[in-house]
Amino acid sequence: MRPESFENPPMYVAVMTYLGFGIVTLFGYFRDFLRAVGLEKCHIAREREEQKDFVPLYQDFENFYTRNLYMRVRDNWNRPICSLPGPVFDVMERVSPDYNWTFSLTGKTIDNVINMGSYNYLGFAENDGDFLKTVADRTQQYGLGVCSTRQEMGNLAIHEELEQLVATFLGVESSMIFGMGFATNSMNIPALVGKGCLILSDELNHTSLILGARLSGATIWVFKHNNMQSLERLLREAVCSGQPRTHRPWRKVLIMVEGIYSMEGSVVRLPDIVALKKKYKAYLYLDEAHSIGAVGPTGRGVTELFGLDPSDIDVMMGTFTKSFGAAGGYIAGKKELVDSLRSHSHSAVYASAMSPPVTEQILRAMKCIMGLDGTTVGQARVHQLAENTRYFRSRLQEMGFIIYGNDDSPVVPILLYMPGKVV
């Protein structure tokens, strides 16, 4: 695999960017002055007069760029969509009489708009009646929700079927599914580590990983993104020095990384991290939210992409919200790990079980990728995504765009820099 690409912008781009934001800031202060003296209508949310003695809910400056920059280009985002998130979709036409502070729908739709912002990597978020027949059948059989936790009355046969299929798909002993992808990280990490443990976290890790690490009460050290020298330095210090003040050995040392980083499009240097993990006797937590189903010859994620043994990864985490066109997430690994989470995970004990139609949707998508449905449709989609990814990246580079990430990453960040270019 080639090294990650993080191209620096030319000097004129940096100058124009600073100049653009400087102009926006100056005009923003001028417009705030006009609002304050009543010469421009003020649309922003403000504290009511009778609440002037209360602590304000937000500081005024926090809203500066929202009201003076984002509002001018807001029509590019939050568009009401009225079709599935395929390669193209339909959006509802809207107009604004007050420069995007409020919108009203015209009743018309804009058809076949190119979809540049969906994680529907393999197109399984579809509305084909033949494909979705099993999902419809499960909905009629079980309803839309189980209204209970897995530990009480919400444990269904299809939940256990999906967990077995996930374990088979990943090549591990056991797995456990959860109804929310974000909570799979934030609610399970505290069940794995706690006080007296050390987490070594990549500086570009997702918010769910950061929140889970903070909730755990463990000590958190951050290493530079995909930088093995930075990680090894922290591992060596952790082994040699132990805990602060007492210098006792850490109870656990957990390295926390993502397979594909969702904002940068970079792929984790997994072979190097596994080598360091083994050298310093640490544990490895791998978040494959954006890589499972999307990379590797058969869609098994970054472990397959690098040809590694799944048993080298202590905790394998992923979500069903991207490649599988559904919702929720999973934790997979050794049976002892999963059995422990069933008893100690907040998400397992307190959260409602996964919705039956969502469970069936994941089952049918995963079976399609594995070829268990008797077709090669799933594998064709995996190969098509890889081909599309490389083609899209190469053409963007030919057009002169600055993009980040790895050739194998379906996340393709395009750097625009200048505020005027965003629209």
Side-chain angles (χ1 to χ4, degrees):
M1 291 182 63
R2 72 171 180 81
E4 306 292 351
S5 169
F6 291 99
E7 180 183 350
N8 290 320
M11 179 59 71
Y12 80 89
V13 172
V15 172
M16 293 298 292
T17 300
Y18 281 113
L19 185 62
F21 275 99
I23 292 172
V24 165
T25 303
L26 289 174
F27 273 89
Y29 279 118
F30 178 64
R31 294 182 64 203
D32 279 352
F33 169 74
L34 295 179
R35 294 185 187 112
V37 299
L39 294 177
E40 181 177 332
K41 187 175 181 181
C42 184
H43 297 277
I44 60 175
R46 290 181 295 182
E47 305 289 341
R48 292 184 296 181
E49 184 61 28
E50 57 266 32
Q51 291 182 311
K52 64 180 183 298
D53 294 329
F54 285 71
V55 176
L57 286 173
Y58 63 90
Q59 299 298 319
D60 184 62
F61 187 74
E62 293 174 1
N63 195 250
F64 180 85
Y65 282 101
T66 301
R67 62 180 179 263
N68 291 310
L69 175 59
Y70 175 68
M71 282 298 171
R72 309 296 288 188
V73 296
R74 183 182 171 202
D75 192 43
N76 288 280
W77 293 277
N78 309 325
R79 300 293 295 267
I81 298 169
C82 51
S83 67
L84 60 89
V88 295
F89 53 33
D90 304 335
V91 296
M92 302 174 72
E93 186 181 69
R94 61 183 183 178
V95 293
S96 176
D98 51 13
Y99 298 102
N100 298 338
W101 285 97
T102 61
F103 292 102
S104 59
L105 298 174
T106 65
K108 300 177 182 178
T109 61
I110 304 173
D111 299 332
N112 295 327
V113 177
I114 297 175
N115 181 0
M116 302 291 286
S118 171
Y119 292 137
N120 184 18
Y121 290 137
L122 301 180
F124 282 116
E126 55 202 344
N127 60 0
D128 189 300
D130 294 333
F131 289 149
L132 297 178
K133 185 179 185 305
T134 58
V135 179
D137 292 342
R138 292 295 190 186
T139 306
Q140 290 206 336
Q141 180 182 359
Y142 291 110
L144 291 173
V146 295
C147 303
S148 183
T149 69
R150 293 283 301 277
Q151 314 305 76
E152 294 171 342
M153 291 164 41
N155 191 40
L156 302 179
I158 55 172
H159 291 144
E160 296 185 1
E161 181 186 355
L162 177 56
E163 288 176 343
Q164 292 170 3
L165 188 65
V166 169
T168 302
F169 182 64
L170 297 173
V172 295
E173 292 180 8
S174 185
S175 76
M176 184 174 182
I177 59 171
F178 304 90
M180 181 182 178
F182 190 98
T184 304
N185 276 331
S186 61
M187 294 290 101
N188 282 296
I189 293 172
L192 297 172
V193 290
K195 192 174 181 181
C197 299
L198 174 65
I199 294 175
L200 301 179
S201 177
D202 190 289
E203 65 179 345
L204 298 181
N205 274 343
H206 189 261
T207 306
S208 59
L209 289 168
I210 297 170
L211 178 60
R214 289 175 177 172
L215 290 173
S216 71
T219 301
I220 304 168
W221 293 352
V222 178
F223 64 91
K224 293 179 180 178
H225 176 56
N226 260 350
N227 188 314
M228 297 304 104
Q229 290 75 27
S230 175
L231 175 58
E232 184 166 18
R233 185 171 63 252
L234 294 180
L235 280 167
R236 191 182 297 116
E237 183 180 344
V239 171
C240 295
S241 302
Q243 299 183 43
R245 295 190 300 276
T246 64
H247 298 292
R248 291 177 180 172
W250 294 99
R251 289 173 52 214
K252 296 176 190 172
V253 177
L254 180 67
I255 303 169
M256 214 157 58
V257 294
E258 294 185 51
I260 291 177
Y261 290 83
S262 58
M263 293 293 102
E264 293 74 27
S266 52
V267 176
V268 65
R269 294 174 59 182
L270 195 58
D272 297 333
I273 290 177
V274 168
L276 288 176
K277 177 203 88 131
K278 291 179 177 179
K279 180 179 179 181
Y280 291 95
K281 304 296 188 290
Y283 294 100
L284 177 58
Y285 186 109
L286 175 64
D287 178 342
E288 289 213 82
H290 288 270
S291 53
I292 193 65
V295 298
T298 62
R300 260 75 171 182
V302 290
T303 51
E304 184 183 51
L305 183 68
F306 288 105
L308 297 176
D309 187 340
S311 63
D312 288 335
I313 316 300
D314 301 288
V315 186
M316 301 183 75
M317 176 270 173
T319 63
F320 303 119
T321 52
K322 281 82 179 178
S323 298
F324 304 97
Y330 65 82
I331 295 281
K334 293 187 181 299
K335 187 175 184 300
E336 294 83 357
L337 165 76
V338 176
D339 289 345
S340 174
L341 287 177
R342 292 190 195 281
S343 302
H344 298 96
S345 164
H346 294 302
S347 190
V349 176
Y350 298 112
S352 179
M354 183 181 285
S355 169
V358 170
T359 309
E360 179 59 34
Q361 158 67 9
I362 302 164
L363 276 167
R364 73 107 185 167
M366 192 169 289
K367 287 177 181 177
C368 186
I369 295 173
M370 297 171 72
L372 298 180
D373 62 347
T375 72
T376 59
V377 171
Q379 283 305 298
R381 294 188 185 193
V382 172
H383 296 154
Q384 188 67 56
L385 174 64
E387 185 179 324
N388 290 351
T389 295
R390 294 189 183 94
Y391 175 77
F392 185 56
R393 284 180 170 273
S394 64
R395 293 291 288 121
L396 285 175
Q397 287 176 325
E398 286 175 21
M399 294 167 69
F401 284 103
I402 296 175
I403 62 173
Y404 276 3
N406 192 286
D407 278 346
D408 292 303
S409 168
V411 177
V412 187
I414 300 179
L415 282 296
L416 298 176
Y417 298 102
M418 290 172 270
K421 289 284 186 182
V422 173
V423 183

